[in-house]
Amino acid sequence: MFRSKVLAVVLVVLAMVSGMVIPLYAADDVELEKIVVTPYLSNVSEKEDPSSTDVIDVGEDESVGKLSFVDAIKGLQGVDYAIAGGLGGVSSVYIRGADAYDTQLMLDGIRVYDPINTQGYFSSYSYLSLDNLDKVEVSRGPFSSLYGSQSIGGSINMITHKGKGKPTFSYLQEIGSYNTYKEKISTQGKLGKLAYSFGASRTDVRSFYETKFKNGNHERDPFGNTNTSLRLDYELNENLEIGVSERYSYARYDYDNGWSAPPSDDLINLSKFQQNIGAVYVKNRINDSLSHKFTYGVVDTQRRGWETGGDYWYRGKSNQFKYSLDYKPALFYNLIAGYDYTGDTGEFYNYGSEPKHRANSKGVYLENIFRPIDNLFVSFIVREENHSTAGNNTTYGLSSSYFIEPTSTKIKFSLGTGFRAPSLYELFGSYVGKRDLSPEKSKSGEIGFEQWLLDKKLSFGSTFFDTKINNKIDYKATGPYTGEYDNIGKAEIYGVENFVEYRFNDDTSLRLTYDYMHAQNEEDKTRLLRRPENKLGLLFNTMLGKLKVSPELYYVGDRIDTCSSVNYKLKSYILLNLGLNYKFNDNFEIFGRAENILNYDYQLVYGYETPKASFYAGAKFSF
């Protein structure tokens, strides 16, 4: 293990050194325009960004038929996903090998999760649409120092579109395999001082089999999903702005029994999911160097089901208060200070009633961003958080980058700690909860480089990362039929993320990615479940006249899964997808998407079905 880690570091350092000594073009030719916000709560350009952040352009994805959140994150570096069957199944997103409950999901900075979920995280990615979003920023690495609990593996921030310009309206319709039907409307614009945006969509999949068809499971499991999103922003004057937003998701679906090995049909199981996310903010610019923002958000999640053993329901609610102060006294220095309050409540009924439980956390943070000399970026963040039962926790983040002008090379590194506070269920659940649980804690580091050559046409980079997680909260048996949650687990995860991209012109690019990751449970030296060691991606985009062509090829290595306390090996697989778009004019375009063209029979979760070769086509009208 030690030799593998040393070799990975040596390879990265050698590549960094080689980039420093090969000057190929003047630095004046470098114009790196991508801007990220999530890693530092401030606009940071690609040229100086030390973080490992991918930005998903929602408009580009939609143009080739990627309309759901899961479609958008497939193939991202350092990100793996698993869904138990069709769109109605429990879904998980793993960033850099950390557990799904160590992934923090946000909407415009508001944490999105289900407080009464077993580990208090979000497990319903399949119900998320891209409606009314501008972009999605996926930041790999710990960001607990900025955003609090859960951000051990990384953070995902969905950024809602802010209306602008002349009012517009669009309607989209898609049909496809498995009796899939999707409809979507959107409108946005600015009327005087009021900016508005609204989106709504409906998805129906009527002919998908959740558990493996070849295992004799021939019951169809229909899925229906509705999403709406509204954002309003009003400029009271040039220095004061207020806004409100609301996002609603509803899903109704059949699901199958996951207790047997392999999972089997259940003709009765039916479930509903509802989630409301509401927020209001006030943003005030005091002068050219000082501004502050207040945000209040509510996340209300309800799940209800009917199955063979009886009915059940869960309800979790999170109230969140956020305040941030942004001070820029000089070009080389930026200070951001903030206070967060989160109050969680949760209750449920499942083979008996569970009373309402409560917990809260309060956090303060201070971020210092320095640009002391040209091309040097330094960020240091420290956070103190107090949880009502788990006590105080201090986290920090240190990151830096330096852009070497003569060679157009960026070198970067980051160090940071993360934590996850115990969930309501882990703390208070009848028969299994333990009230003196400590937070899970992590230490992470990464070092890497990015290189631009040939007048910015060629770029490549590599990043080595290492994460150690302690105090992992796992279920521990205390008798033949009893058990409780306890801080008994440890994990170590390390790997290398690599990419090479060549831009032939503004419309044509080819990108190759390769990830190696070793994710291991330190207690018994076994692999962490559902994480591949090797992953390869090849993405091509081009324009042939008015026709956009976007093929994708992915290789995902074998993984380990468990069912009924038995481990199973999930085979490696290859996915070939193709996205097309033809834009007749500004008012009308058609698109199509082919997925799993090679018709691979693969599994993301043992015993559950995944789509075979499937095809979708649609049209969009804009006014």
Side-chain angles (χ1 to χ4, degrees):
M1 181 186 302
F2 177 75
R3 290 180 179 177
S4 300
K5 293 165 71 173
V6 171
L7 177 60
V9 173
V10 169
L11 288 173
V12 172
V13 172
L14 286 176
M16 289 164 57
V17 173
S18 67
M20 293 180 206
V21 299
I22 307 176
L24 290 183
Y25 63 92
D28 291 340
D29 294 332
V30 180
E31 296 178 5
L32 308 176
E33 298 178 350
K34 188 178 76 172
I35 299 294
V36 297
V37 178
T38 303
Y40 305 103
L41 286 177
S42 180
N43 289 340
V44 177
S45 70
E46 182 179 29
K47 179 179 176 179
E48 61 182 4
D49 178 22
S51 74
S52 297
T53 298
D54 284 314
V55 179
I56 299 170
D57 186 321
V58 171
E60 286 295 313
D61 276 14
E62 182 187 272
S63 70
V64 291
K66 293 183 180 181
L67 304 177
S68 72
F69 181 89
V70 172
D71 286 339
I73 65 170
K74 286 180 182 178
L76 286 182
Q77 285 204 270
V79 178
D80 300 294
Y81 71 100
I83 301 175
L87 294 175
V90 173
S91 53
S92 302
V93 173
Y94 311 94
I95 299 181
R96 282 189 171 167
D99 281 306
Y101 43 83
D102 294 327
T103 295
Q104 186 182 71
L105 178 68
M106 297 180 289
L107 176 67
D108 299 322
I110 297 294
R111 288 179 55 204
V112 179
Y113 61 105
D114 183 357
I116 202 60
N117 181 295
T118 306
Q119 282 85 23
Y121 71 109
F122 188 76
S123 61
S124 306
Y125 292 94
S126 298
Y127 317 147
L128 289 179
S129 74
L130 299 177
D131 296 352
N132 207 27
L133 297 180
D134 260 341
K135 60 180 179 177
V136 179
E137 295 187 349
V138 182
S139 298
R140 306 187 293 278
F143 289 92
S144 289
S145 53
L146 271 184
Y147 297 111
S149 177
Q150 286 189 319
S151 185
I152 289 177
S155 293
I156 302 173
N157 192 16
M158 303 178 292
I159 300 174
T160 307
H161 175 70
K162 182 178 181 180
K164 59 183 179 181
K166 182 180 178 180
T168 61
F169 175 84
S170 68
Y171 172 76
L172 180 149
Q173 174 79 55
E174 182 190 65
I175 60 173
S177 299
Y178 302 107
N179 277 330
T180 297
Y181 301 90
K182 295 184 180 182
E183 303 84 28
K184 176 180 176 179
I185 61 170
S186 61
T187 181
Q188 70 87 46
K190 191 170 185 181
L191 301 172
K193 295 183 177 183
L194 176 67
Y196 72 93
S197 62
F198 173 79
S201 66
R202 173 71 185 181
T203 300
D204 291 281
V205 183
R206 300 171 182 171
S207 299
F208 194 81
Y209 306 91
E210 189 169 77
T211 46
K212 297 294 287 184
F213 185 88
K214 67 180 183 181
N215 292 338
N217 302 306
H218 299 161
E219 178 213 8
R220 295 178 178 178
D221 297 293
F223 169 82
N225 181 208
T226 301
N227 284 273
T228 63
S229 173
L230 172 68
R231 174 173 173 173
L232 301 173
D233 303 89
Y234 189 79
E235 298 175 359
L236 294 171
N237 55 54
E238 61 180 10
N239 296 318
L240 184 62
E241 182 177 85
I242 60 174
V244 296
S245 64
E246 190 277 346
R247 194 172 189 91
Y248 172 75
S249 296
Y250 170 85
R252 177 188 170 101
Y253 52 92
D254 285 10
Y255 65 98
D256 289 330
N257 170 32
W259 298 105
S260 61
S264 59
D265 272 344
D266 191 309
L267 304 180
I268 298 177
N269 293 355
L270 172 68
S271 189
K272 290 182 180 180
F273 169 89
Q274 293 184 79
Q275 186 173 68
N276 276 289
I277 307 169
V280 58
Y281 78 87
V282 179
K283 184 165 59 176
N284 177 217
R285 174 179 170 273
I286 299 173
N287 54 46
D288 290 342
S289 60
L290 185 64
S291 63
H292 59 151
K293 182 178 181 180
F294 159 86
T295 305
Y296 172 70
V298 179
V299 181
D300 190 336
T301 307
Q302 300 180 53
R303 293 176 284 136
R304 184 176 180 86
W306 300 263
E307 57 184 29
T308 305
D311 301 347
Y312 64 88
W313 56 264
Y314 293 80
R315 181 171 184 178
K317 189 174 183 179
S318 171
N319 287 278
Q320 301 176 39
F321 169 93
K322 296 177 178 291
Y323 174 80
S324 63
L325 178 73
D326 192 326
Y327 180 51
K328 300 176 182 176
L331 292 176
F332 64 87
Y333 179 63
N334 186 186
L335 180 145
I336 300 174
Y339 170 81
D340 298 336
Y341 169 85
T342 301
D344 292 338
T345 60
E347 58 184 326
F348 66 87
Y349 176 90
N350 193 350
Y351 300 104
S353 179
E354 184 78 10
K356 182 179 289 188
H357 298 298
R358 291 179 170 84
N360 66 74
S361 62
K362 309 174 187 71
V364 292
Y365 61 88
L366 186 68
E367 176 183 14
N368 293 274
I369 297 176
F370 303 93
R371 297 175 174 90
I373 60 174
D374 289 346
N375 300 321
L376 177 62
F377 177 92
V378 181
S379 170
F380 178 69
I381 312 163
V382 64
R383 181 187 187 95
E384 181 71 20
E385 182 119 357
N386 177 268
H387 188 272
S388 55
T389 62
N392 293 329
N393 195 72
T394 303
T395 54
Y396 71 86
L398 172 65
S399 57
S400 182
S401 69
Y402 184 69
F403 189 80
I404 303 170
E405 294 277 5
T407 61
S408 298
T409 306
K410 179 174 72 174
I411 56 176
K412 60 179 185 175
F413 85 92
S414 296
L415 299 171
T417 57
F419 77 98
R420 182 181 76 87
S423 70
L424 293 175
Y425 188 79
E426 291 167 332
L427 288 167
F428 306 115
S430 297
Y431 311 113
V432 296
K434 187 175 182 180
R435 301 194 178 208
D436 60 350
L437 288 172
S438 299
E440 295 184 353
K441 296 184 178 182
S442 72
K443 293 182 179 179
S444 300
E446 66 177 81
I447 183 172
F449 82 99
E450 294 177 33
Q451 177 71 56
W452 289 265
L453 305 173
L454 305 177
D455 197 22
K456 297 190 299 181
K457 291 184 177 180
L458 176 64
S459 60
F460 58 92
S462 184
T463 301
F464 170 79
F465 66 90
D466 188 5
T467 299
K468 293 180 175 64
I469 306 174
N470 295 307
N471 286 344
K472 282 180 64 64
I473 301 172
D474 290 325
Y475 180 79
K476 178 182 70 175
T478 57
Y481 305 104
T482 60
E484 66 180 3
Y485 286 99
D486 204 353
N487 295 104
I488 57 174
K490 295 182 179 180
E492 181 174 17
I493 308 160
Y494 62 85
V496 184
E497 299 163 347
N498 311 277
F499 79 91
V500 179
E501 183 171 5
Y502 188 80
R503 300 193 66 85
F504 298 88
N505 53 52
D506 290 342
D507 297 323
T508 305
S509 65
L510 178 67
R511 182 179 177 90
L512 173 67
T513 64
Y514 170 67
D515 294 353
Y516 168 77
M517 182 176 66
H518 178 87
Q520 180 176 275
N521 187 326
E522 288 294 278
E523 298 299 310
D524 54 14
K525 305 303 180 183
T526 58
R527 290 174 61 183
L528 297 182
L529 299 179
R530 301 174 185 171
R531 280 77 138 187
E533 284 192 342
N534 297 282
K535 191 167 70 171
L536 188 72
L538 184 63
L539 299 89
F540 181 70
N541 290 283
T542 191
M543 292 291 297
L544 302 175
K546 293 184 176 182
L547 178 65
K548 179 189 292 185
V549 182
S550 299
E552 305 167 337
L553 180 67
Y554 299 112
Y555 166 82
V556 179
D558 62 63
R559 292 132 293 130
I560 301 297
D561 202 2
T562 187
C563 185
S564 297
S565 301
V566 177
N567 284 351
Y568 297 88
K569 186 175 183 179
L570 305 180
K571 296 188 298 183
S572 60
Y573 62 92
I574 296 174
L575 285 182
L576 175 61
N577 306 323
L578 174 64
L580 300 170
N581 177 280
Y582 189 87
K583 192 169 185 176
F584 291 88
N585 51 51
D586 291 340
N587 302 114
F588 180 63
E589 59 190 274
I590 58 175
F591 60 89
R593 185 161 183 80
E595 297 187 348
N596 194 9
I597 296 172
L598 301 178
N599 205 34
Y600 255 79
D601 183 10
Y602 68 99
Q603 297 179 91
L604 298 173
V605 176
Y606 175 74
Y608 284 93
E609 194 69 84
T610 53
K612 301 299 188 294
S614 48
F615 306 90
Y616 307 88
K620 181 179 179 180
F621 303 86
S622 303
F623 308 96

